[in-house]
Amino acid sequence: MLILGFESSCDETGVALVDASGSGTPRLLGHALHSQIEMHQAYGGVVPELASRDHIRRVLPLTDAVMQQAGLPLSAVDAIAYTRGPGLAGALLVGSGVACAMAMALGKPVMPVHHLEGHLLSPFLSADPPEFPFVALLVSGGHTQLMRVDGVGRYELLGETIDDAAGEAFDKSAKLLGLGYPGGPALSKLAEQGSATAYKFPRPLLHSGDLDFSFAGLKTAVLTQVKRLANERPEGPATPQLAAALNETQKADVAASVQAAIVDVLVKKSLSAVRSTGLKRLVVAGGVGANSRLRAQLNAECARLGLRVHYPELHLCTDNGAMIALAAGLRFQAQGWPAGADAAGYPFDVLPRWPLSSLA
Ligand code: KG4
Ligand code: ZN
């Protein structure tokens, strides 16, 4: 069962081919990605219309590259998967349109996939795949959630952010430090030169007793600190010049301190979730899962507590087509094709807002 998967929910066009034959974990046969980051950088964030147009330009050449890697013709594909949501409506429509058109031309079924389910299951493509059940920490640019995962499609939301996502906290702090978009990786790199204890930033909801997160206040705390270091009034505007008034040590110290605050909260809440469910396994997925401090701290804590922790391969932490083809493959193995996914039904629909907990 060869499944071709398309990811186009935001600013990465991803295409991949997996082999989901038999009952073993689907194997990745080919995988190609184009990141639009450079194109959006000039605007300080993703411009949805530009994103859609670029997905259109990239998706077919990437598909050719994937089939070439696999050494197979397109006619060998048995089914096509695409990201149905959540994400940018226009960007999602490119993936769904191409997937449905290609499936119709080939006379093969399509399978719509939830983007976060793709992230959640992506560690199954790693050298050290998890086993069900586990607690999942989903940390991306738009989501921060703790889920109990008992199997494919069996997801229970344990807690989530009540405002900004962890990735947003990284990105907004990075912007204040003049690090561009998306700032997570740049902030993390700069933090290596700084002191994590230089500034005391809040750890929101650390002791709230539930598994929810809040990161919106952190941005204000970072802004206040940056203004103080720049000798600006607290009530003054947040201008791009603020960061320029800081020296390199100050910037690195702010980066290290804010990263420590975000990571402390993510680690503490993840361990609380593992404790409250009584499970022994943690899976971390989504772009922020690439963060080295988060990985180091979770590895140390899980080793101390006798827990297993699993991550996607580093290059599959951020958005990609492999996780979409994989999620479709695991679903196919667990449940067969969903109703309407046969060759007669090409839904061509997207769900820009789609809670993962509504999946069955
Ligand atoms: O999962 P993802 O690629 O896209 C969404 O589905 O949102 O996650 C992107 C997010 C961005 O906020 C980015 O800054 C963050 O992941 N990110 C990181 C790192 N790499 C990516 N944050 C902290 N440290 C990193 N190394
Ligand atoms: Zn994502």
Side-chain angles (χ1 to χ4, degrees):
M1 171 58 67
L2 298 183
I3 304 177
L4 185 66
F6 293 108
E7 155 62 31
S8 69
S9 66
C10 189
D11 56 355
E12 254 108 25
T13 322
V15 183
L17 185 71
V18 301
D19 182 357
S21 308
S23 57
T25 307
R27 272 186 324 119
L28 189 58
L29 301 183
H31 151 60
L33 189 72
H34 176 78
S35 170
Q36 305 177 352
I37 283 175
E38 246 173 59
M39 184 180 75
H40 295 296
Q41 241 155 12
Y43 306 94
V46 178
V47 183
E49 179 61 21
L50 293 183
S52 311
R53 285 165 191 252
D54 204 54
H55 286 308
I56 293 173
R57 270 194 292 272
R58 307 289 175 181
V59 65
L60 293 179
L62 288 173
T63 305
D64 288 342
V66 166
M67 297 314 298
Q68 248 176 33
Q69 274 173 40
L72 292 165
L74 201 53
S75 56
V77 168
D78 296 302
I80 301 197
Y82 68 93
T83 306
R84 185 190 195 190
L88 301 169
L92 289 167
L93 276 168
V94 177
S96 76
V98 169
C100 290
M102 208 177 270
M104 182 175 269
L106 295 170
K108 300 290 157 101
V110 281
M111 184 182 264
V113 172
H114 195 293
H115 179 82
L116 294 181
E117 183 175 34
H119 276 303
L120 188 77
L121 299 174
S122 59
F124 281 96
L125 284 174
S126 72
D128 177 29
E131 277 168 33
F132 298 115
F134 53 78
V135 167
L137 171 68
L138 262 179
V139 269
S140 68
H143 293 84
T144 301
Q145 299 184 327
L146 280 162
M147 317 274 310
R148 181 190 165 110
V149 179
D150 285 294
V152 176
R154 295 171 62 201
Y155 313 128
E156 181 195 343
L157 184 66
L158 302 172
E160 64 182 334
T161 182
I162 57 171
D163 43 51
D164 287 358
E168 251 175 303
F170 270 105
D171 293 342
K172 287 179 176 175
S173 305
K175 199 168 179 185
L176 286 174
L177 290 172
L179 297 177
Y181 156 85
L187 187 138
S188 168
K189 194 159 189 340
L190 182 60
E192 286 168 17
Q193 265 102 59
S195 157
T197 52
Y199 307 109
K200 185 101 190 89
F201 290 125
R203 269 75 171 152
L205 301 189
L206 192 64
H207 303 293
S208 60
D210 58 21
L211 297 173
D212 287 338
F213 302 87
S214 165
F215 291 109
L218 204 49
K219 184 192 161 201
T220 315
V222 175
L223 177 60
T224 307
Q225 185 60 54
V226 168
K227 281 181 182 166
R228 199 175 294 143
L229 292 170
N231 291 319
E232 288 290 337
R233 289 171 300 119
E235 61 281 8
T239 62
Q241 285 74 43
L242 275 178
L246 271 59
N247 65 37
E248 289 312 307
T249 307
Q250 289 170 326
K251 280 193 216 169
D253 284 347
V254 171
S257 301
V258 71
Q259 173 174 261
I262 299 168
V263 167
D264 278 358
V265 178
L266 293 176
V267 170
K268 166 116 197 305
K269 295 269 173 168
S270 300
L271 296 177
S272 301
V274 173
R275 202 174 312 117
S276 69
T277 53
L279 299 179
K280 295 275 173 242
R281 231 176 250 280
L282 178 67
V283 160
V284 182
V288 180
N291 185 269
S292 46
R293 185 179 174 98
L294 177 65
R295 287 188 176 214
Q297 235 165 277
L298 279 176
N299 288 344
E301 285 297 307
C302 288
R304 191 175 65 78
L305 298 166
L307 305 170
R308 293 293 316 275
V309 56
H310 302 262
Y311 309 91
E313 301 287 336
L314 263 184
H315 71 285
L316 297 181
C317 271
T318 45
D319 293 349
N320 62 83
M323 67 184 196
I324 301 305
L326 167 82
L330 287 171
R331 275 210 172 243
F332 168 73
Q333 288 175 333
Q335 306 165 348
W337 292 116
D342 57 12
Y346 296 106
F348 202 92
D349 68 338
V350 297
L351 290 174
R353 290 177 182 277
W354 187 13
L356 183 60
S357 47
S358 71
L359 280 190

